[in-house]
Amino acid sequence: MNWYEDEVSGLEKAHINDKTDPGIVFYGSSSIRVWGTLKNDFADRKVTNLGFGGSTLAACVWFFERIMVDYNPQALVFYAGDNDLGDGRHPEEVFIFFQQLMVQAKSRFGNLPCYFISLKPSVARWHLAEQFKYTNNLIAAEIEKSNSNWIFIDVFSRMLDQSGRPIVDNYQADGLHMTDKAYRLWTEIIEQELVKSLPLVNT
């Protein structure tokens, strides 16, 4: 995991003053890290971006305790697993990493509202679509079975066209990283779930 050290150290330095009141923490891979409009997209809420580039779900588990130390968030929104499958890991392995993440989040934050964003159907990794679907199904079923503080957020189905393939203009030229259009869609979907347990207060 040494290749993530610069990214993780950067997070620690950049957010040293955010720990006592981070609002909603967004944690995960580059889909989170490069979300440059995150604060504006959730302008009615306080959010902190703790994504680190290229991270796998395995890496997010590995660094969880270190990154989250002293944080007191209102909720945790998580995205990772995409890179694990891209690196050749099997859905069952990703599922085990998710179970470990659940245990860590419970230990660190108790019954804090936690949200898992489903793996997205990217153009570049469409050859792995069945593995992505299976992984999403495993995680969604685990969340439903556990009847816990976790919520599964489905973005996969909303990012497909009428033929059931990825909507191309949701992605940059690499077919993997998302465009502003895709992030606007994510904002809409995520906010629909957030408001159920974290309603906005009119001031």
Side-chain angles (χ1 to χ4, degrees), residues 4-19 49-52 63-69 71:
Y4 296 114
E5 184 58 37
D6 288 346
E7 288 266 353
V8 172
S9 296
L11 279 181
E12 291 172 324
K13 293 173 183 176
H15 296 286
I16 194 169
N17 296 320
D18 296 330
K19 295 193 172 189
N49 189 328
L50 294 182
F52 57 109
F63 288 107
F64 187 87
E65 291 185 8
R66 174 178 166 184
I67 291 175
M68 296 297 169
V69 66
Y71 272 92

Side-chain angles (χ1 to χ4, degrees), residues 26 31 34-43 117 120 153-155 158-159 167 169-172 177-194:
F26 282 70
S31 292
V34 301
W35 194 340
T37 59
L38 181 67
K39 288 189 176 182
N40 287 334
D41 291 341
F42 292 92
I117 304 170
K120 65 184 187 293
I153 300 179
D154 174 28
V155 298
R158 296 280 297 275
M159 298 181 76
I167 299 171
D169 58 2
N170 276 334
Y171 297 92
Q172 298 179 26
H177 293 95
M178 299 194 300
T179 61
D180 289 344
K181 176 186 176 182
Y183 279 117
R184 287 194 296 271
L185 177 63
W186 273 34
T187 301
E188 176 189 339
I189 297 170
I190 294 169
E191 180 58 34
Q192 287 173 353
E193 293 298 333
L194 288 177

Side-chain angles (χ1 to χ4, degrees), residues 69-82:
V69 66
D70 295 332
Y71 272 92
N72 185 30
Q74 184 183 20
L76 176 68
V77 178
F78 181 79
Y79 181 86
D82 196 323

